[in-house]
Amino acid sequence: MDLESELRKAMAEQVAEASASPSLVDDVKHRHRRRKARVHAAAGVAAASVAALALVPTYQSFRATPAGNSETSRPTSSVSAFRLPERPSAPGSPESPSSQGKPGAEAPSKPGAHPSGGGREPRNPGLGGAVGKLPGWITYLPEGLASTGPCATTGDAQRKTVTCGWRGKSGWVEIALVKGGGLSPKDLLKTPGIPGRTSVRGTPALIGDRPDSGRQISWLARPGVGVTVTAAGDAKNRLMRIAEGVRP
Amino acid sequence: MGRRDDESFVEFVAARGDALLRTAALMCGARQDAEDILQTALEKAYRHWGRLETGMDPEPYVRKILVNLVISRSRRWKVLREIHMARLPETPAASPNHAVELRGTLMEELRKLGPRQRAVLVLRFWEDLSEAETAQALGCSVGTVKSQASRGLARLRERLDRNLAPLGR
């Protein structure tokens, strides 16, 4: 018996009637389209997951990072995504996230009322413990500073500036919050010479020395919202820490 | 050298679809599985069809995908094998047509071989590929093809002798 030829005949008999379906090409293309759709859906889900993982810590960094945190790096999803939301634990921050401390709320809307920066009741805002109640968007000031008065609001409808000042034996601090379109750190910085580059919590910032021995740092907290912090005296050494505590 | 287009894929499937289906049916043993595996293999080939040169024959490429799919699926999906193995051995009975009996038994025994050994026998004796072409399709050496073919045939012969002995063959 020739096994090989018998095997050939057996195979031929076995598949003699087998023929491909007339719709084979269409079936293959349909399968291909389904696979592509599955791949695209999976990619979309993956992208959405990555975006969600990146957004959560970013959101938390806006409202939850404690004042005075010396970290200036931008929060990353790999580390911060699983971090519990931290409350603004720094002294000087408002008890509730009401509009009391929001930028713009410092304007003396009620003539008789004490503005938030007015220093009605002695408290210990910031780790250093400046005297007076701070606006909610400022979470740190060095020790021994007292408010120079209510935060002043200037400008027009297109660009509004809220300026708050503190003064003490150790120097003085001025924080200006600018809201308006077309802002850049260069517009905010009012120092002569070429400014240096730095970052505030991962956001690019410009820093420069003023003629009056003060030092100034400016950055865009987000599009349309710029911050300038000026400090002189001993407070100058705490400039970065003050800047990191500004959360507009 | 140009690239292949959609139309050439349609032409290829129209021309070689039957042959590929028969190869798939012999390698995996069940017609339904063969159709599914062939569709999967063609879909994989279709994904990269545009990259194939127009001058080259796409059939070895598709056949290689098909063989790999059959082998990997057989390894992964043992149910198919278990179904075949779970069949009760047929009781040999005298048949007026011994040739038909012999071929039926041959196919039964072919299905019982391992997927790789079965693929070697199908490619060598159904597709009439050379040892080198078979080795290329399987992604192994010519020596492996020779040994697998030899062992496969020996096993078939041994089982046939055992099964057909009561028939006086």
Side-chain angles (χ1 to χ4, degrees), chain A residues 4 22-23 38-40 50 59 63 79 87 89 91 96 100 108 113 134 153 168 170 178 210 229-230 239 244:
Chain A
E4 294 173 16
S23 63
R38 272 201 313 273
V39 168
H40 288 166
V50 169
Y59 169 72
R63 62 187 290 270
V79 174
R87 301 298 304 160
S89 58
S96 66
Q100 183 187 13
L134 291 175
T153 304
S170 59
V178 185
R210 288 163 45 122
V229 179
T230 312
L239 180 66
E244 286 159 12

Side-chain angles (χ1 to χ4, degrees), chain A residues 24 28, chain B residues 9 12-13 20 38-46 62:
Chain A
L24 181 59
V28 168
Chain B
F9 179 77
F12 171 76
V13 174
L20 288 169
L38 179 60
Q39 274 190 27
T40 308
L42 286 172
E43 194 275 327
K44 279 191 170 186
Y46 183 64
V62 177

Side-chain angles (χ1 to χ4, degrees), chain A residues 87-227:
Chain A
R87 301 298 304 160
S89 58
S93 56
E95 282 81 2
S96 66
S98 64
S99 64
Q100 183 187 13
K102 293 287 179 191
E106 294 75 40
S109 54
K110 293 178 184 175
H114 283 276
S116 51
R120 179 174 58 174
E121 51 185 11
R123 292 186 57 187
N124 289 327
L127 293 177
V131 178
K133 194 176 180 181
L134 291 175
W137 48 281
I138 299 171
T139 59
Y140 174 78
L141 274 181
E143 194 177 354
L145 296 176
S147 172
T148 57
C151 294
T153 304
T154 56
D156 50 23
Q158 290 185 340
R159 186 170 291 190
K160 195 173 77 170
T161 305
V162 179
T163 310
C164 306
W166 295 266
R167 192 170 286 277
K169 289 179 183 175
S170 59
W172 57 268
V173 172
E174 187 181 273
I175 301 177
L177 182 75
V178 185
K179 282 187 172 182
L183 279 175
S184 75
K186 282 184 181 173
D187 300 334
L188 305 168
L189 198 71
K190 306 292 181 194
T191 58
I194 301 172
R197 293 183 183 278
T198 183
S199 67
V200 176
R201 287 185 289 123
T203 307
L206 293 177
I207 190 166
D209 286 323
R210 288 163 45 122
D212 58 356
S213 79
R215 185 170 291 161
Q216 198 169 57
I217 183 167
S218 299
W219 73 98
L220 283 182
R222 57 180 183 271
V225 179
V227 182

Side-chain angles (χ1 to χ4, degrees), chain B:
Chain B
M1 184 81 61
R3 301 286 177 179
R4 293 187 168 272
D5 56 7
D6 205 67
E7 197 179 332
S8 69
F9 179 77
V10 177
E11 285 169 7
F12 171 76
V13 174
R16 302 300 304 156
D18 288 351
L20 288 169
L21 178 70
R22 287 168 185 169
T23 304
L26 288 171
M27 281 196 290
C28 62
R31 173 74 190 274
Q32 291 296 322
D33 295 329
E35 284 177 356
D36 186 50
I37 283 178
L38 179 60
Q39 274 190 27
T40 308
L42 286 172
E43 194 275 327
K44 279 191 170 186
Y46 183 64
R47 251 182 260 166
H48 308 292
W49 195 257
R51 289 188 217 159
L52 301 179
E53 302 286 349
T54 47
M56 69 170 271
D57 179 14
E59 191 167 348
Y61 173 63
V62 177
R63 197 187 292 124
K64 187 166 186 169
I65 297 174
L66 191 64
V67 170
N68 287 337
L69 271 177
V70 169
I71 291 173
S72 60
R73 190 177 286 200
S74 296
R75 282 178 183 158
R76 199 171 56 242
W77 191 36
K78 290 185 177 175
V79 177
L80 182 68
R81 220 166 148 189
E82 281 165 11
I83 287 169
H84 292 308
M85 298 301 276
R87 279 183 190 168
L88 288 172
E90 290 174 10
T91 312
S95 166
N97 193 342
H98 290 299
V100 173
E101 188 72 32
L102 171 71
R103 286 168 200 160
T105 311
L106 254 178
M107 291 313 295
E108 276 296 309
E109 296 304 326
L110 180 69
R111 286 191 201 107
K112 289 178 185 173
L113 294 177
R116 203 174 175 81
Q117 221 162 46
R118 194 164 60 225
V120 168
L121 293 183
V122 170
L123 292 175
R124 289 282 290 121
F125 301 113
W126 169 250
E127 289 271 3
D128 275 331
L129 297 187
S130 67
E131 284 167 344
E133 287 169 330
T134 306
Q136 197 178 4
L138 285 164
C140 63
S141 67
V142 174
T144 306
V145 170
K146 282 181 183 173
S147 65
Q148 291 281 324
S150 168
R151 281 178 202 160
L153 286 175
R155 189 165 292 180
L156 284 182
R157 187 170 284 118
E158 177 196 322
R159 288 177 180 173
L160 276 181
D161 288 345
R162 199 167 51 223
N163 289 340
L164 297 178
L167 300 178
R169 303 279 306 176

Side-chain angles (χ1 to χ4, degrees), chain A residues 30-46, chain B residues 40 43 47:
Chain A
H30 181 61
R31 192 179 276 232
H32 180 67
R33 281 194 296 273
R34 272 190 311 176
R35 183 185 174 276
K36 260 170 81 171
R38 272 201 313 273
V39 168
H40 288 166
V45 168
Chain B
T40 308
E43 194 275 327
R47 251 182 260 166

